[in-house]
Amino acid sequence: MEALQFFVVSSFSAALAIAIAAFGCGIGQGMGLKAAVEGIARNPESSGKVTVTMLIGLAMIESLCIYALVIALILIYAHPQAAAIAGLLG
Amino acid sequence: MEALQFFVVSSFSAALAIAIAAFGCGIGQGMGLKAAVEGIARNPESSGKVTVTMLIGLAMIESLCIYALVIALILIYAHPQAAAIAGLLG
Amino acid sequence: MEALQFFVVSSFSAALAIAIAAFGCGIGQGMGLKAAVEGIARNPESSGKVTVTMLIGLAMIESLCIYALVIALILIYAHPQAAAIAGLLG
Amino acid sequence: MEALQFFVVSSFSAALAIAIAAFGCGIGQGMGLKAAVEGIARNPESSGKVTVTMLIGLAMIESLCIYALVIALILIYAHPQAAAIAGLLG
Amino acid sequence: MEALQFFVVSSFSAALAIAIAAFGCGIGQGMGLKAAVEGIARNPESSGKVTVTMLIGLAMIESLCIYALVIALILIYAHPQAAAIAGLLG
Amino acid sequence: MEALQFFVVSSFSAALAIAIAAFGCGIGQGMGLKAAVEGIARNPESSGKVTVTMLIGLAMIESLCIYALVIALILIYAHPQAAAIAGLLG
Amino acid sequence: MEALQFFVVSSFSAALAIAIAAFGCGIGQGMGLKAAVEGIARNPESSGKVTVTMLIGLAMIESLCIYALVIALILIYAHPQAAAIAGLLG
Amino acid sequence: MEALQFFVVSSFSAALAIAIAAFGCGIGQGMGLKAAVEGIARNPESSGKVTVTMLIGLAMIESLCIYALVIALILIYAHPQAAAIAGLLG
Amino acid sequence: MEALQFFVVSSFSAALAIAIAAFGCGIGQGMGLKAAVEGIARNPESSGKVTVTMLIGLAMIESLCIYALVIALILIYAHPQAAAIAGLLG
Amino acid sequence: MEALQFFVVSSFSAALAIAIAAFGCGIGQGMGLKAAVEGIARNPESSGKVTVTMLIGLAMIESLCIYALVIALILIYAHPQAAAIAGLLG
Amino acid sequence: MEALQFFVVSSFSAALAIAIAAFGCGIGQGMGLKAAVEGIARNPESSGKVTVTMLIGLAMIESLCIYALVIALILIYAHPQAAAIAGLLG
Amino acid sequence: MEALQFFVVSSFSAALAIAIAAFGCGIGQGMGLKAAVEGIARNPESSGKVTVTMLIGLAMIESLCIYALVIALILIYAHPQAAAIAGLLG
Amino acid sequence: MEALQFFVVSSFSAALAIAIAAFGCGIGQGMGLKAAVEGIARNPESSGKVTVTMLIGLAMIESLCIYALVIALILIYAHPQAAAIAGLLG
Amino acid sequence: MEALQFFVVSSFSAALAIAIAAFGCGIGQGMGLKAAVEGIARNPESSGKVTVTMLIGLAMIESLCIYALVIALILIYAHPQAAAIAGLLG
């Protein structure tokens, strides 16, 4: 049944999307976190400002990963043709 | 049914596009964030200007990822031939 | 039986998702941890603030990996078409 | 139907083009942003000139990504043979 | 027999998941360990705080690898469809 | 129809050409931009000369990407055999 | 005989799992060891504390590799379906 | 028709040639540009000599990319067998 | 004969396992050795402690490679199903 | 027609040869150019000697790329069997 | 004849094993050698101790490569099933 | 005709050989050139000796690439079986 | 004839083995040589000791490559089954 | 004709062997050359000793590449089975 192949590839794509995005954003957030922690250790008085800036930046990077999460969830739960294709299943 | 293959590959392409773009932009934003946080920790008085510049830069990088998100959403929801091909499904 | 292939690929996707995400986030957390530990060794008095910031950052990175874990668990336990496809098995 | 394959590969190419370009340009812009933010933190008075130069540079890099976006959109919406091939569909 | 292929791919996925995750987390923990050891050698009096922070961080990274281990064990011992598919074997 | 395959591969080639070129040139321009911005921040009085040199260099790198864009557009709009092959379509 | 393929892929997976994990953990332990040895050479009096910390860290990394070893041994000696599949052999 | 395959692969080769060459030369020119800009910022009086040397070097690197462009254009417009093969088309 | 394929893949897996593990552990031990030798050259009096620590570390890394060697030897000499499969050979 | 395949692969090989060679030599020349420009900026009086040495080096690297160009042109225009194989075409 | 394939893959595996192991261990030994030579040049009086430590380390790394050599020789000369399989040859 | 395939693969091999060798040697020569140019800029009086040494080194690296060129030319013009195989062509 | 395939793969394996080993050991020896030459330039009086140590190290690395050469020569000239398989040729 | 395939793969292997070896040894020699040239520029009086040591090292690396060249020439001109296989050609 070819219709099944749609769900097979959707699952794989969803997994790939979130995995690759998490890989890159994980490294990106690690770079930001590294600098923030180094900075606070050197200059503890800047702690407030550094933490705020770090959180803004981490949130920006998090958003990139969430785009991929959204695409992954759309592929699993809400693809516009999914209902039609599921109808072909049985 | 070949028509199904169109939706299969569209799903995979959408996932790939957002994943790779998020990977690269995540690292790019991480580099910017790292420098901003280091800078604020060294020189907390520059915090305002640094944050503004960082936000401009992060927004520029975010835009690259949003281009990919737009292409991904077009492939899922708004491909010009999607309606015609969906008609071939059943 | 094609229906079986769905579970085969789901298993593989789940494994791939968590593996790649853990790879990237593991390196990202390692970068954060490295900076935190260096900082505390240089300036032990900043230990409290550094640890708090590090934990916030590690939690942000952990969340990326947990997104992938969630997708992996959905693919194994809760894919919306899984019941229908399992019905095709026997 | 072979005609369908044209739209399948166009979609994949469009996604690949924007994804790879966004990856590279994201890292490139991150390098520029990093230097700009470091510079402003070290020498806040240069902030005006640095921001202007950074914006020129980011715009040049953005243009590279927009070339890829244009090619991607051409492949989806405006390929010169698309109409003829769509006519082969049904 | 296709049912066998399910166990074949599950085994391979489990091995891949733990291998890739161990690779990345091993490098991540190595980075943390490196910094901790350098720090203690430079400033032996900070040894207590550094070790505690290092252990927190290593545990966070370990958790990423354990997610992959859990997925691997689920694929081998507790996949929800495993019983049904094993019934197809003989 | 084999004639269709020509347009399929042309589209893919055009996308690949601009994507890979944009990747490399994006990183190259990022390196130039990084140095320019650092230089201006350190020595704001050199701003004029630095910006001019940077623009010359960015233009040289941009030209490399435009070669690829030209090839991509030739492949889509102006391949010498395209008309003959399009005649084979219907 | 398909049943044989199960043991073929299990063997390959076991080898791959331990190989990739040993690769990554070997590099990770190398990083920890490098720092420990450098530290002792610079400050021989810290030798006791450094060695203890290094051993804790190496053990954590070793544990990652042992997870992979366990999965590899399960795949060779103790896969839950192995007996049933071996029964299919002859 | 096999004759068509010649034009298909020529197109792909032309795109690949210019893309990979642009990638490498873009990074190479970026390295040269980076050093030139840094140099002028540090020592604005050397601006004339630096710009001249940079232009010589960029031109040498540009020439490498132009070799690839020439090969790409030969493959599209002037391959010695192209006429004979085009004759096989219809 | 499929039974032969089991020994073919076992041989390949054994070779791959020891090769990849030796690659990674070789680099890891190289990093440890490098630091030890640098340390002794800088501070020859620390030679005893450094050598002992280095040997502990090298032994830990060696153990990772020996896990892979053990798996390789099991695959060649002691796979639990090997006897049964060898019986299928002739 | 197999004879056609010869020209197809020759074209692809020629493109690949010049592309990969241009990639590597472009980076190599970039490294030389970078050092020359840095040197002149630091010590403008050495400009003559530096430029001469740089030109000798760039020419040596250029020669490597020209070897590849020569092979590429031989493959397109002057392969010793090309005439015989072209005779097989029609 | 399938029996031949066993010797074909054994040869390939043996070559791969020693090649990859030599690659990694060659780089690892290079790192150790580099540090030893640098150390002796800086502090020629430490030459004896440094050389001894270097030789211990190089021997440890050499052992990793020798494990791979042993596996390679077993695959060529002493695989337990080789005699049985050679009997299938003619 | 299989005989043709010999010339097809020879062409591809020749192109690959010179391309990969030029890539690596181009980077190697770039490293040598970079150091020579830096050295002359720092110490113009050493220019004679540096240039001589650089030329010896570049010639050694050039020789590696010429080995590959020789193999490439042998494959195109002077393979010992080429005449016999060409005789099979027509 | 399958027997021929044995010699085909042996040739390929031999070439691969020596190529990959030479790659890695070439870089490893380059690292050792680099340090030796730097050391002698800084401290010419240590020249004797440094050269001896370098030669010991280079010989160790050379030995790794010679292992691969030996395996390659065994595969070409002295594989234990080669005579038997050659007998199958004609 | 299968016999032809032997010469096809031999040619490809010879090209691959020399190409990969030249790549790695080119970079290795580049590292040695770089250090030698830097050293002479810093300390021109050490020129004699440095050049001698560099030549010994470059010769060692050259030997690695020559091993690969020898294997490549054996595969083209002197493979022990070549005569027998050539006899199968016509």
Side-chain angles (χ1 to χ4, degrees), chain I:
Chain I
M1 226 170 317
E2 278 253 322
L4 210 60
Q5 202 182 351
F6 175 80
F7 298 107
V8 166
V9 174
S10 285
S11 302
F12 180 72
S13 306
L16 200 73
I18 192 63
I20 295 181
F23 186 113
C25 295
I27 293 182
Q29 290 193 341
M31 289 162 68
L33 176 57
K34 181 185 155 202
V37 169
E38 278 177 0
I40 294 176
R42 258 200 235 111
N43 184 2
E45 282 150 40
S46 71
S47 159
K49 281 180 180 169
V50 164
T51 304
V52 167
T53 309
M54 183 192 81
L55 283 177
I56 294 171
L58 291 189
M60 292 293 280
I61 301 176
E62 193 87 11
S63 75
L64 297 176
C65 193
I66 284 176
Y67 296 161
L69 184 63
V70 165
I71 294 287
L73 291 175
I74 286 174
L75 291 184
I76 295 180
Y77 287 113
H79 191 286
Q81 267 79 28
I85 295 170
L88 297 176
L89 266 183

Side-chain angles (χ1 to χ4, degrees), chain B residues 2-3 6 9 13 17 20 23 28 31 35-36 39 43 46 49-50 53 57 60-61 63-64 67 78-81 85, chain D residues 1 4 7-8 11-12 15 19 23 25-27 29-31 33-34 37-38 40-41 44 47 55 58 62 65-66 76-77:
Chain B
E2 277 252 323
F6 175 81
V9 175
S13 306
I20 295 181
F23 186 113
M31 290 161 67
N43 183 1
S46 71
K49 282 180 178 170
V50 163
T53 309
M60 292 292 280
I61 299 176
S63 75
L64 297 176
Y67 296 162
H79 191 286
Q81 266 80 26
I85 294 169
Chain D
M1 226 169 318
L4 210 59
F7 297 108
V8 166
S11 302
F12 180 71
F23 186 113
C25 295
I27 293 180
Q29 290 193 342
M31 290 161 68
L33 175 57
K34 181 186 155 200
V37 168
E38 278 177 0
I40 293 177
S47 157
L55 283 178
L58 292 188
E62 193 88 12
C65 193
I66 285 176
I76 296 180
Y77 288 112

Side-chain angles (χ1 to χ4, degrees), chain E:
Chain E
M1 225 171 316
E2 278 253 323
L4 210 60
Q5 202 183 351
F6 175 80
F7 297 108
V8 167
V9 174
S10 285
S11 302
F12 180 72
S13 306
L16 200 73
I18 192 63
I20 295 181
F23 185 113
C25 295
I27 294 181
Q29 290 193 341
M31 290 161 68
L33 175 57
K34 181 185 155 201
V37 169
E38 278 177 359
I40 293 177
R42 258 200 236 111
N43 183 1
E45 282 150 39
S46 70
S47 159
K49 282 180 179 169
V50 164
T51 304
V52 167
T53 310
M54 183 192 82
L55 283 177
I56 295 170
L58 292 189
M60 292 293 280
I61 300 176
E62 194 87 11
S63 75
L64 297 176
C65 193
I66 285 176
Y67 296 162
L69 185 63
V70 165
I71 294 287
L73 291 175
I74 286 174
L75 290 184
I76 295 179
Y77 288 113
H79 191 286
Q81 267 79 28
I85 295 170
L88 297 176
L89 267 183

Side-chain angles (χ1 to χ4, degrees), chain H residues 8-40:
Chain H
V8 166
V9 174
S10 285
S11 302
F12 180 71
S13 306
L16 200 72
I18 192 64
I20 295 181
F23 186 112
C25 295
I27 293 181
Q29 290 193 342
M31 290 161 68
L33 175 57
K34 181 186 156 200
V37 168
E38 278 177 359
I40 294 177

Side-chain angles (χ1 to χ4, degrees), chain C residues 5-18:
Chain C
Q5 202 182 352
F6 175 80
F7 298 108
V8 167
V9 174
S10 286
S11 301
F12 180 72
S13 306
L16 199 73
I18 192 64

Side-chain angles (χ1 to χ4, degrees), chain C residues 25-37:
Chain C
C25 295
I27 294 181
Q29 290 192 341
M31 290 162 68
L33 175 57
K34 181 185 155 201
V37 169

Side-chain angles (χ1 to χ4, degrees), chain F residues 11-37:
Chain F
S11 303
F12 180 70
S13 306
L16 200 72
I18 193 64
I20 295 181
F23 186 113
C25 295
I27 293 181
Q29 290 193 342
M31 290 161 68
L33 175 57
K34 181 186 155 200
V37 168

